[in-house]
Amino acid sequence: MCFEEINDSLELVFRYSWTSSDTYGFIRECELINLSKNQVDIDILDGLQNILPAGTPQAIQASASNLVDAYKWSEIDKASGIALFTIYSGITDKPEPFASMRANTVFCLGFEPSKTLLSSQQINDFYLRKPLHNQTHTRGARGAYLVNSTFKLAAKTDKTWQFVCDVEKSKYDILSLHKTLSESQNMRELINQSIRDDSNELRRIISTMDGFQLTNEELVSTHHYANVLFNGMRGGIFDKQYWIPTKDFTASVRHFNRPVYQAHEAFLNGLVKQLKFPELLKLIKQQNDANLTRLCYEFLPITFGRRHGDPSRPWNDFCIKLKDDNGKRLLNYQGNWRDIFQNWEALLFSYPEFIESVIAKFVNASTIDGYNPYRISQTGIDWETEDPKDPWSHIGYWGDHQIIYLLKLLELSNNFHPNKIRQLLHEPIFCYANVPYRIKSHKDLLNNPKDTIEYDYQVAQKIEQGVQKLGADAKLLLNEAGEVYLVNLSEKLLVPLLAKLSNFVLGGGIWLNTQRPEWNDANNALAGQGLSMVTLYYLRRYVCFLKTLFKDQNSISLSKEVALWLDNVITQFQPNRSTQFQTMSAQERFDHLEKLACCAYEYRKEVYQQGFSGVTDYNIKTINTFLSNTLSAINHSIDANKRTDGLYHAYNLMDSNQDSIQINHLQLMLEGQVAILSSGGVGPEQAIDMLNTLFDSNLYRSDQQSFMLYPDNELPNFLTKNRISPEQITNVPKLEQLLEQSGHALLICDVDGYWHFNADLINHEALVARLNALETDYGSAVTKLKQPINALYEMAFNHKKFTGRSGGMFGFEGLGSIYWHMVAKLLLAVQEIYFNALDTNCNQATCHHLGQLYYRVRQGIGFNKTPTQYGAFPTDPYSHTPKHTGAQQPGMTGQVKEEVLTRFGELGIRICHAKVHFQPNLLRIGEFTNTPKVFNYLDILGNERCLTMPSNAIAFTWIGLPILYVLSNTNTEASLNIHWRNQKDEVLTDLILSEEISCKIFMRSDEIAQITLKLNANLLFDE
Amino acid sequence: MCFEEINDSLELVFRYSWTSSDTYGFIRECELINLSKNQVDIDILDGLQNILPAGTPQAIQASASNLVDAYKWSEIDKASGIALFTIYSGITDKPEPFASMRANTVFCLGFEPSKTLLSSQQINDFYLRKPLHNQTHTRGARGAYLVNSTFKLAAKTDKTWQFVCDVEKSKYDILSLHKTLSESQNMRELINQSIRDDSNELRRIISTMDGFQLTNEELVSTHHYANVLFNGMRGGIFDKQYWIPTKDFTASVRHFNRPVYQAHEAFLNGLVKQLKFPELLKLIKQQNDANLTRLCYEFLPITFGRRHGDPSRPWNDFCIKLKDDNGKRLLNYQGNWRDIFQNWEALLFSYPEFIESVIAKFVNASTIDGYNPYRISQTGIDWETEDPKDPWSHIGYWGDHQIIYLLKLLELSNNFHPNKIRQLLHEPIFCYANVPYRIKSHKDLLNNPKDTIEYDYQVAQKIEQGVQKLGADAKLLLNEAGEVYLVNLSEKLLVPLLAKLSNFVLGGGIWLNTQRPEWNDANNALAGQGLSMVTLYYLRRYVCFLKTLFKDQNSISLSKEVALWLDNVITQFQPNRSTQFQTMSAQERFDHLEKLACCAYEYRKEVYQQGFSGVTDYNIKTINTFLSNTLSAINHSIDANKRTDGLYHAYNLMDSNQDSIQINHLQLMLEGQVAILSSGGVGPEQAIDMLNTLFDSNLYRSDQQSFMLYPDNELPNFLTKNRISPEQITNVPKLEQLLEQSGHALLICDVDGYWHFNADLINHEALVARLNALETDYGSAVTKLKQPINALYEMAFNHKKFTGRSGGMFGFEGLGSIYWHMVAKLLLAVQEIYFNALDTNCNQATCHHLGQLYYRVRQGIGFNKTPTQYGAFPTDPYSHTPKHTGAQQPGMTGQVKEEVLTRFGELGIRICHAKVHFQPNLLRIGEFTNTPKVFNYLDILGNERCLTMPSNAIAFTWIGLPILYVLSNTNTEASLNIHWRNQKDEVLTDLILSEEISCKIFMRSDEIAQITLKLNANLLFDE
């Protein structure tokens, strides 16, 4: 909504509504109010300009809009009065017909226009008070829809009208709309009803993700609503909770694997129309086909997600596809692999029965060499290919998120279903993605760590052919019989660990050598020379988790080649080696990496060529010892990366010679602190020190009370960059002579006698190419100077330390920017440490101090700010806040996922060993209402409900279940009331639900009508 | 220049200047004038907004400008005060450094700013009279340069200031500029001098193309100046007239052919610094290396041309590259093959000694199968490749222009150098381009005439490798020894003729079957089913010309395979066959084409695989007989395409079955009339009738007094397109049943009971795909209905007649548009017919009538109009005038070439048999000045000259020679005065120069100082 004051007596109010129904797109309502005591004569021209026609090709519009204009055809349909914006013919340069059969449409309700204009031509005439001419048809001109009307507006009255706009309507749609328009008695009411219907549908969607809460702090619950909404729009929602339309599942089996489909055709087509996922899985398992079971686990009935990923990448146009071409409801999701799982994590907190499905989707997409593809969608995986014409195109593995996002899912499963995940460790129902990238040998990697992956066109072609025949499963590793090669979850968890460990530079971190950066994009150029401590911090937590997971197992089954790789890695982490780690020389570090990397290459070479040769049993004790040894090696490296101020390095640079590796630290970064705080390696007291240091550091932006990714360093200005003193030149023998001969090709001397490299020499590669070219003209004079000139260049540009966006960009993840997802990750990390302190019975002062720091971090987040301070709608989450302007990119932030989780943490919902714990120690008393209220929500069946709340209460839903917290006076004992739908209420005095009751909640069984927690102030967080 | 009145007492004048010198880009000067009698207090904010930084990648700016913003860094250099607009780091997604070392610069001269702003942020504050804050540095924001100044402007005075802007400046440039700024006493005068210098340089350039004329009609000479300017900017100019810098030539030899270069290295490097082309050629010929001679002929010392072609194609960004990276003057041209030759044709009229060089460039780029590549440039030829990601990309041969543009060049040569061209008929110094397109067999072509060319990736790869080794000549057909295969001009002229004749559909025209249209783009979808009468009309003129050319020759040498192909084609045009042509049935037409096409395919198959197997002598008499027979076949077809109104069909549609070809005529088109009028087949009387009919036809737009390409037909509106009655559905047995089953997949019934094809079914291909998909679900019910549904579709859309832009576009060549190049072609055609009538001693009334029609066509051209009527600067040529707005795209029109030629025709300069004729019969008396004037021009040596003109005179230059026409009274005999530079004037009474004198002029020998033509009114055109 937006207001505009025209003058003292007139005011305009605009309201925009969007609908997702069939008939209308968006509605712009305008209300003109006469505030004065006199009647006013109005002559108004209102509408929309530059309306694009249906079928406008985006790329051509961006690059050649004038060409698109020439195809434009706008008309007002005489019969209906609807304005149609079309291209008369499809835009193509091929000699083939291309009928254009859709129109964008606009019509107006609410006043009788005296004139209607289809272009902006006459706007100036209106300003000049010249007479206007009706325009019902234009060709080759930009479309507009402007109506001119004159009327008298009585004193203290108003007038409202609406523009109803929609896109890509077929003739059928338009004729149907015409019919509705002509038959309807009250079109405006019909539209308002449609808006209401869609609002209700949105309420239903939000309710399925537990978006409704009612507390005394409206901003908090509104912010939660927004987080839930955007989380759903990023990753999608489960369409009908746990229900799976069997027709969709069957189609999915057919899509992925035709032989499997054919083998079970009768069974699949005989299934009832819909089944809850656990029931479906049970039936499927009875078929005794591991591949069918795999496909069932992987099937996610998700809808509503926009195509998910960084919009600066060309593929990532938003697209929320809810219906198929026939208008039928559609299950659909697609997203960047590294983005979509985060939102599912938050969603799973309301749908725990799908946790293992998402884990399956995750690990089934990981490759034999331990990485992950670029994109996933309902139809399978996808990877980047190179387009030589597009400077933005590139291939490689984004090694980031992998460990921590997988781990978070595993931890969820371990909390909700500790038995289930342990069972999966042994079930061979998982697979490998076969991305046709081939990582080169360790020698090649060292030689050029930025050019490490070959695209195997032959494999790619084979896969493409296979997809035609077998189905999308042809993108997976197949065995010799052409079937999908299956392994258990243990192997799928070990391979990424081995891949990371094989790039472990002791004391430095995990070497980024797959041509793509770790998250975050700030350091997008670190690939090659970068070492990630961030990944190592997360790896620490992963190793600890695996120790817990494998503890009580016996042997596990592994592919032979994986077992061999594991053996080799184990050798490198023997305790006798590990003691050396502290005193390790650069040479020993080089050797250690070489040994690890060569084992990995041996493994890769083997499996790239031959695949796997069978399975073997592996002793779990060996693994557990290995995990312990690894943990101690990791801990040594972590210690070595502690800064003198108590904070930790996030990334390092690797400086490798023929036989040694030196480690150079980069600057302070927020990501490193988040990762170490999440690693499990930092105790409560240390965490408090670190957080206090952080608030005093140059990462803190006091204007936004929050943290940047790295300090906003002052940069040299344009004319002081790339400046070389005359002495630096004369110090190099014979250089002056060459520069005299070679003109401006290499260096140019300015009017002040300083030298500058030629502006074409954008990097070392360009310099080398130029030197080689000069060599043909000037021979050995150049050859001898190559090394010193390269050294001069590096001195001038310091390109070895080039980290990417963090060095030369000022929006997004750039200099001065706050990247809100990282702040939210910090928030979650502090909350984890807080609960960890509670769980370990830490002293109260420490816990309280941590709680205070939690709220201090939270204080920086938008919803606590004024619109002026935030520069945007405070309750909405945004991607980033650059130094020079307000928050940017609403909803496009992983912040939403972290904050959905922290919010339930604030409310004290914790799950442990399959039981629900109510532990609201972080909840503030101020959130309790001070008057009776009514909490409106939708129940699991989708019915609108209202819950009458007393004073001093909080209400919310979780897994669709309404939960009421009521604050009693401090003397009353806390109690949990289970309101059964068909039996008497049950009162529990410890705040933990039994495994049985917890399971009913997880399963959305609807047997429980409500849970009421009566508690006293002692349990809450005392600010 | 542009004026703006601020209020009654203040006026602002803006002046823009561009310079091409090293230091400055463009200057925006602003003059503020106080017209009142009182002093005025001024508070002004002036400048430029949204200044892009240097190094902005065009594609990313177009598609993701917000991302580019994040990289922006703007600063004011404190020392110099120059504003620098840069990206702080190069924009890439690859993990590699990319230093950004250039800046766009702005500075202001002329007032002391009180505040300077680098962004638009504070503009509103200025409006609101809030205080402004100096802004000397911004990051991540769009750049601006705004200066705020307050001053008093005395009554009746003015104040002037300047913004000096430049792009892509290096640090060296900026520091040098700073030095100039700080040392200069009077910077503004320095700038003004720079502008004057550049204006003079432009005068020099225009003078080298004979752009200066002085007549009584200033608009005519200004229009000529503009035509010459834009002709030069399209095709380029000869840099130093006939002079060739031998270093450039040597570099060119090395670029094209390394072995040839190596063989003549010493000779080439020993050449003097520059030589006139004829001298160079003489020296080269003495080396006795045909390939060296070929490369010398082909070498064009051209500069100043913008990259030439339709800007709607992605490749065609304008780019006038005058200097290389080291700032040295550069020879450079590049353009679409079909565009650049036209401008060279006009240029050659001032540089006749290069005619044969351009012919060489033309024919050396034509392929063994008789077509031409897409682009040519100084570095060789280039062809389109397919990019599956780009809907605009496609391959194929643009078969257009080829015959007529080549012919125009040949005719020029025949007029200027009749002996030279005849000599070349026998010299084996020409070659074939080896474009890796492979035209399929006739059967395949018939089967799918829109998919006729295969891209031979193997050949393409081989060529690419060859270029690395041999040089750019590897793109030519090589013999077995790996050398360029050479043939004579005769063969190069016959192969395109044979290619066209092999696609000759008798009675219909030349079949367009190479996936690309003929000119003009209006019918860009005709490829496949289209037959071009236009090409046939031009072919008629070509055949007549070849008859003249070959007349007195003996035998000629031809490649054996070409000779065989010629033999086969000859058989098909025997006179006994030709008599059948009039009564030919559809079946006979099919057979005739099949025989021709199969011969061509046999030839192609052979030479694609093996190349040529040697040469053979061919009897010239056989060829001459063949040409005569062909001419009569062409004439029959032309007669068959005469419309009842006396005009001619331009394009036809070919409707071919298994064994017959039907011809369907398309609508009236201007291009057809231009072509037939140029064909030589229309006599003066018939031409008069045709032109009168044209003026009465629906091609004529009276508002612009000129002709559209085709009638501006009324089109059905959106809702009446694609509409099928219920009866049409019920008439097809079992269709209703299928439609009920298949939902909206095929057809949809609207609320009124009418049916519409689904909006996704954009063409027959889409329909076929949908039907095939439905077939899997509904089986034979669909199979049986395929044919009737296709027929219904064709009934609804009439896609067979789809011609492309002419059917659904409203700018450029679209509906209602006047395409000025075509009008200018008509003008030239009428002038040719006029002179032809004179030459053939036609009666005076007819000649006069033709002259009147010539001027009636000319009357429609912009320079005769007011700015309001033309909607643009009238003296400038523009591409097109859509129905709904003024003329569009200044300078981007082939009109300039036609009008340069017609202008010299109006002045009566004609060349015949190597002699210059003065024949000003079309010149109007009104063009003669009525007072004495001074004609300023530059002589051949580049010196400014002035020629004092008496009353009643016209002055102009041609080939750099000043020519003065003086009108005497009617009784005086006409005479030609040759003013020799070093000998006495010579007076001739017939108006023809001897071959010897003509040759001196052609050679720019500078021995003649001036020519004066004294003439009387009888010789002129009497309006």
Side-chain angles (χ1 to χ4, degrees), chain B residues 691-723:
Chain B
L691 288 163
N692 283 325
T693 307
L694 258 185
F695 275 105
D696 291 337
S697 76
N698 55 4
L699 296 183
Y700 187 65
R701 250 181 75 178
S702 58
D703 64 325
Q704 289 290 328
Q705 297 153 271
S706 197
F707 301 101
M708 295 174 289
L709 290 173
Y710 43 83
D712 185 14
N713 297 321
E714 193 132 331
L715 296 175
N717 62 30
F718 183 77
L719 293 176
T720 54
K721 288 199 286 187
N722 173 24
R723 183 172 146 136

Side-chain angles (χ1 to χ4, degrees), chain B residues 354-371:
Chain B
F354 278 126
I355 294 173
E356 291 73 25
S357 296
V358 173
I359 290 175
K361 190 85 199 167
F362 191 112
V363 301
N364 286 345
S366 74
T367 61
I368 38 176
D369 47 15
Y371 295 93

Side-chain angles (χ1 to χ4, degrees), chain A residues 70 75 88 93 95 97 99 139 171-172 175 313 450 712 716-718 721-722 748 750 756 762-763 810 884, chain B residues 70 75 88 93 95 97 99 139-140 171-172 175 313 450 712 716-718 721-722 748 750 756 762-763 810:
Chain A
E75 59 173 301
Y88 203 80
D93 201 33
R139 309 185 309 178
K171 270 178 69 178
Y172 172 79
L175 293 168
R313 288 173 204 289
K450 288 188 183 288
D712 186 15
N717 62 30
F718 184 78
K721 288 199 285 187
N722 173 23
I748 307 168
D750 70 30
H756 317 274
I762 56 166
N763 51 28
F810 312 101
H884 55 279
Chain B
E75 59 173 302
Y88 203 80
D93 202 31
R139 311 185 307 177
K171 269 178 70 178
Y172 173 79
L175 293 168
R313 290 175 201 291
K450 289 189 184 287
D712 185 14
N717 62 30
F718 183 77
K721 288 199 286 187
N722 173 24
I748 307 168
D750 70 30
H756 317 274
I762 56 166
N763 51 29
F810 312 102

Side-chain angles (χ1 to χ4, degrees), chain A residues 284-402:
Chain A
I284 292 289
K285 281 185 170 171
Q286 288 165 3
Q287 302 304 305
N288 274 322
D289 181 335
N291 268 310
L292 188 64
T293 307
R294 172 179 62 80
L295 289 170
C296 182
Y297 258 114
E298 262 204 20
F299 183 77
L300 297 171
I302 281 178
T303 186
F304 193 63
R306 66 162 165 85
R307 185 181 283 177
H308 187 173
D310 179 352
S312 73
R313 288 173 204 289
W315 177 75
N316 291 322
D317 299 322
F318 286 3
C319 168
I320 299 186
K321 205 171 176 191
L322 298 175
K323 291 172 185 173
D324 69 9
D325 294 343
N326 282 322
K328 283 185 195 151
R329 200 159 177 84
L330 191 72
L331 294 179
N332 185 44
Y333 61 85
Q334 45 183 336
N336 283 7
W337 183 86
R338 63 187 198 134
D339 289 314
I340 202 164
F341 282 100
Q342 56 182 290
N343 300 103
W344 287 349
E345 182 195 341
L347 186 62
L348 290 173
F349 202 73
S350 297
Y351 289 90
E353 295 314 298
F354 278 127
I355 294 173
E356 292 74 24
S357 296
V358 173
I359 290 174
K361 191 84 198 169
F362 191 111
V363 301
N364 286 345
S366 74
T367 60
I368 37 175
D369 47 14
Y371 294 93
N372 279 84
Y374 184 46
R375 295 182 280 247
I376 61 160
S377 71
Q378 212 210 6
T379 56
I381 58 165
D382 200 356
W383 48 83
E384 291 177 298
T385 56
E386 272 199 331
D387 177 358
K389 285 184 190 166
D390 179 3
W392 208 247
S393 85
H394 193 42
I395 65 167
Y397 288 118
W398 304 77
D400 51 346
H401 286 319
Q402 195 188 15

Side-chain angles (χ1 to χ4, degrees), chain A residues 170 207 373 381 565 609 620 675-676 713 730 818 933 1001 1014:
Chain A
S170 72
S207 85
I381 58 165
W565 188 15
Q609 284 292 330
I620 206 77
I676 184 77
N713 297 321
T730 48
I818 293 174
K933 303 251 177 188
I1001 295 175
K1014 291 189 178 149

Side-chain angles (χ1 to χ4, degrees), chain A residues 60 62-63 66-67 70-73 75 77 84 86-89 91-103 121 139-141 169-172 174-176 179 312-313 325-326 385-387 389 391-394 398 450 515-516 524-527 712-713 715-723 744-745 748-752 756-763 765 770 793 797 799 802 805 807-812 815-816 883-884 889, chain B residues 60 62-63 66-67 70-73 75 77 84 86-89 91-103 121 139-141 169-172 174-176 179 312-313 325-326 385-387 389 391-394 398 450 515-516 524-527 712-713 715-723 744-745 748-752 756-763 765 770 793 797 799 802 805 807-812 815-816 883-884 889:
Chain A
I60 297 178
S63 63
N66 194 41
L67 182 70
Y71 286 87
K72 287 177 183 171
W73 171 284
E75 59 173 301
D77 173 44
L84 308 175
T86 67
I87 45 177
Y88 203 80
S89 172
I91 301 180
T92 173
D93 201 33
K94 298 197 174 132
E96 59 190 20
F98 185 168
S100 165
M101 292 186 269
R102 290 196 168 87
Q121 258 172 5
R139 309 185 309 178
K169 298 284 107 181
S170 72
K171 270 178 69 178
Y172 172 79
I174 293 163
L175 293 168
S176 308
K179 188 154 185 262
S312 73
R313 288 173 204 289
D325 294 343
N326 282 322
T385 56
E386 272 199 331
D387 177 358
K389 285 184 190 166
W392 208 247
S393 85
H394 193 42
W398 304 77
K450 288 188 183 288
Q515 302 192 164
R516 287 298 201 180
N524 65 332
L526 265 183
D712 186 15
N713 297 321
L715 296 175
N717 62 30
F718 184 78
L719 292 177
T720 54
K721 288 199 285 187
N722 173 23
R723 184 172 145 138
H744 286 185
I748 307 168
C749 185
D750 70 30
V751 285
D752 302 322
H756 317 274
F757 276 95
N758 182 308
D760 292 332
L761 305 174
I762 56 166
N763 51 28
E765 259 186 296
R770 179 70 52 95
Y793 188 89
F797 290 99
H799 270 173
F802 182 74
R805 294 186 173 188
M809 198 200 210
F810 312 101
F812 304 93
L815 280 146
K883 192 71 159 271
H884 55 279
Q889 297 189 337
Chain B
I60 297 178
S63 63
N66 194 41
L67 182 70
Y71 285 87
K72 287 177 183 171
W73 171 283
E75 59 173 302
D77 173 45
L84 309 176
T86 67
I87 46 178
Y88 203 80
S89 171
I91 301 180
T92 174
D93 202 31
K94 298 198 175 133
E96 59 190 20
F98 185 168
S100 166
M101 292 187 268
R102 290 197 168 84
Q121 259 170 5
R139 311 185 307 177
K169 298 283 107 180
S170 71
K171 269 178 70 178
Y172 173 79
I174 294 163
L175 293 168
S176 308
K179 188 152 187 264
S312 73
R313 290 175 201 291
D325 293 344
N326 283 322
T385 55
E386 271 199 333
D387 176 359
K389 285 185 190 165
W392 208 248
S393 85
H394 193 41
W398 304 78
K450 289 189 184 287
Q515 301 192 164
R516 287 298 202 180
N524 65 331
L526 265 183
D712 185 14
N713 297 321
L715 296 175
N717 62 30
F718 183 77
L719 293 176
T720 54
K721 288 199 286 187
N722 173 24
R723 183 172 146 136
H744 286 185
I748 307 168
C749 184
D750 70 30
V751 286
D752 301 322
H756 317 274
F757 276 95
N758 182 308
D760 292 332
L761 305 174
I762 56 166
N763 51 29
E765 260 187 296
R770 180 68 52 96
Y793 187 89
F797 291 98
H799 270 173
F802 181 74
R805 295 186 171 188
M809 198 200 210
F810 312 102
F812 304 92
L815 280 146
K883 192 70 160 273
H884 56 278
Q889 297 188 336

